[in-house]
């Protein structure tokens, strides 16, 4: 379940790691690696992290573009080999 935190001017939506993993379709190891490498910025809470919705939206868009690029590259390779 998404956590809501009143951020003064509005409500910010945050995801626990397991929710972020499910949303992005990645493992806990990948999510932690991305956080350590700066691809995702986790917000420290106690001994863990939470991830804001905006960052997950951006990560989803990046992953979709990467998948589309891979498919287009494969299609172009297939055409050039004919």
């Amino acid at each position: 379940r998404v956590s809501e935190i009143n951020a003064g001017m509005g409500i910010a939506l945050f995801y626990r790691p397991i929710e972020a993993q499910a949303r992005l379709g990645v493992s806990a190891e990948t999510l932690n690696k991305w956080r350590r490498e700066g691809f995702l910025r986790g917000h420290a809470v106690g001994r863990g992290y939470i991830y804001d919705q905006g960052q997950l939206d951006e990560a989803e868009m990046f992953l979709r573009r990467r998948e589309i690029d891979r498919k287009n590259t494969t299609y172009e390779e297939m055409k050039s080999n004919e």
Side-chain angles (χ1 to χ4, degrees), residues 66-78:
R66 186 175 71 173
E67 185 63 28
I68 289 168
D69 288 346
R70 283 182 181 165
K71 287 179 181 177
N72 287 340
T73 300
T74 302
Y75 177 74
E76 292 300 322
E77 290 171 355
M78 286 174 36

Side-chain angles (χ1 to χ4, degrees), residues 6-75:
N6 188 338
M9 297 186 63
I11 300 218
L13 299 178
F14 290 89
Y15 290 76
R16 294 177 304 192
I18 193 136
E19 297 163 336
Q21 293 166 37
R23 181 169 170 191
L24 298 175
V26 299
S27 67
E29 291 79 18
T30 298
L31 190 69
N32 287 326
K33 177 182 173 189
W34 287 352
R35 180 184 44 76
R36 286 190 309 270
E37 293 177 352
F39 179 66
L40 280 177
R41 185 174 57 247
H43 303 278
V45 175
R47 295 187 313 183
Y49 292 89
I50 57 174
Y51 301 89
D52 70 67
Q53 181 174 1
Q55 287 236 321
L56 295 180
D57 291 345
E58 290 176 21
E60 274 185 319
M61 288 182 358
F62 171 80
L63 294 172
R64 276 194 223 125
R65 282 193 305 266
R66 186 175 71 173
E67 185 63 28
I68 289 168
D69 288 346
R70 283 182 181 165
K71 287 179 181 177
N72 287 340
T73 300
T74 302
Y75 177 74

